[in-house]
Amino acid sequence: MRIVNVFLLCIAFWLAAAASFSGYIGKYGFLEATPRAGIEVMLNGHAFKPFVYRQFAPIIARIVTVNTPRSIRDGIVSRVQPTYGYSMLAGNHSNKEKLQYIIIYYLNFFLLFCSLFILRSILLGFQCSYITSILAPILVVLCIPYVQTVAGYFYDNIELFFMSLAFLSAFRGKYILLLCLIIPATLNKESFLFFLPTLYPIIRHTFCIKKSIYILSIGMFLSGITNLIVKKIYVTNAGGLIEYHLWDNIVAYSKYSFYFLKETTYSVISPAGFSIVYIVIVVTLFTQIWGKLAENLKQHILIVTCINLPLFFLFCGPGELRNLSFFYVSMTLLVGAVIDDKSAYKSV
């Protein structure tokens, strides 16, 4: 790519990431002053279980803050004051706490920005056109605030980064990189353990059955051990290991009105939760392009469906579409396939 092309690509992805991140922050912020899962209790380790397990960003914020000289810390906070516009933090926080907030804020945005480049590489690997490889990730990322219904958390956007990079690593046969992602991705959200099996058809595209199973087994072992250690550290925190919502979901989804809820996204009233609008869009995508997808991608989507949907209905609150995040990468590929309308996907 020419330098000017790279520059324009960076601008397009920056604007898309900024818009998406603004849409999310405008709806929920970082749930400041929320006792169960707000930014303050996440940083000090007093959040309720299972939220407190999502420690990837807080760990980075604490490490950087501790190793930043006080003069530099105060200088950063004075120039990037969280309370100037985008933060709901109270004004009585120390500069140390404010710097941690700033670090998480911009880490969240930066990894969302990087996710666009990773998704683009995945699309190009699946023989998408150059334009589609740019447009499809932008469309999906801009849709993220719409699926962040009921609640949204700072680790949601980071989760997209880890899942996208894991998928790309599996697709390219970079199993060492994939294994290196396991611990930080699990620290970001423990559900990454369940995302790993969905990568089997992608890994199998490069490696034999034995090696594919071997790689996944090591990855799931690392993720499981990481999960157990984190749970052990925060065993005394309030809350439970998991939250059961099956009955809540049965009641909610049995109501006609639940499919016509509304909320404000990007400062405009829009459908919320399991809206009939979203259902129609997803069904249309699948019916239009399913037959043109590569076999390993079809298998990935089927495994995602078999794992993510039961987890969603058992442990997620009614309408929390963000918890169908295992579909993010495959939905990007579906959007790209619809835009290109190519049968070339079959040969990947």
Side-chain angles (χ1 to χ4, degrees), residues 72-263:
I72 297 177
R73 179 198 309 163
D74 294 345
I76 293 174
V77 172
S78 66
R79 291 171 175 78
V80 193
Q81 181 62 250
T83 54
Y84 282 170
Y86 53 75
S87 169
M88 291 179 276
L89 273 180
N92 58 351
H93 287 74
S94 68
N95 281 354
K96 179 180 177 181
E97 293 169 318
K98 290 178 180 179
L99 180 59
Q100 291 177 342
Y101 184 100
I102 292 168
I103 291 169
I104 289 183
Y105 189 94
Y106 285 101
L107 175 68
N108 197 303
F109 166 74
F110 179 71
L111 293 184
L112 179 63
F113 173 64
C114 291
S115 299
L116 286 159
F117 291 93
I118 299 170
L119 291 170
R120 175 180 175 273
S121 295
I122 293 172
L123 286 160
L124 290 174
F126 275 86
Q127 302 177 6
C128 274
S129 66
Y130 178 81
I131 296 300
T132 298
S133 71
I134 299 173
L135 183 58
I138 288 176
L139 289 174
V140 170
V141 165
L142 288 175
C143 286
I144 288 178
Y146 287 101
V147 300
Q148 287 175 318
T149 58
V150 181
Y153 301 89
F154 63 80
Y155 45 77
D156 291 342
N157 292 330
I158 301 174
E159 183 184 29
L160 172 62
F161 169 80
F162 280 122
M163 290 191 300
S164 302
L165 189 53
F167 189 101
L168 182 62
S169 302
F171 183 72
R172 291 184 174 177
K174 307 292 185 181
Y175 67 91
I176 294 179
L177 176 58
L178 175 60
L179 294 178
C180 289
L181 292 172
I182 302 299
I183 293 177
T186 305
L187 282 173
N188 183 67
K189 196 172 182 183
E190 66 277 13
S191 59
F192 190 78
L193 170 65
F194 299 98
F195 179 71
L196 287 172
T198 72
L199 298 177
Y200 174 78
I202 311 302
I203 297 174
R204 180 69 183 86
H205 179 70
T206 304
F207 300 107
C208 64
I209 295 176
K210 184 177 179 180
K211 189 167 185 179
S212 299
I213 294 175
Y214 182 66
I215 293 170
L216 272 181
S217 298
I218 294 176
M220 294 184 70
F221 174 78
L222 290 173
S223 182
I225 290 296
T226 303
N227 202 352
L228 288 175
I229 292 173
V230 173
K231 283 180 167 61
K232 179 68 175 177
I233 292 173
Y234 296 104
V235 67
T236 59
N237 283 50
L241 293 177
I242 51 179
E243 295 184 355
Y244 292 99
H245 290 285
L246 179 59
W247 180 248
D248 296 331
N249 283 313
I250 291 174
V251 172
Y253 297 131
S254 65
K255 295 179 179 179
Y256 171 82
S257 59
F258 188 77
Y259 300 92
F260 295 91
L261 298 177
K262 298 179 180 64
E263 65 180 359

Side-chain angles (χ1 to χ4, degrees), residues 13-24:
F13 281 174
W14 181 278
L15 292 174
S20 176
F21 188 58
S22 177
Y24 148 64

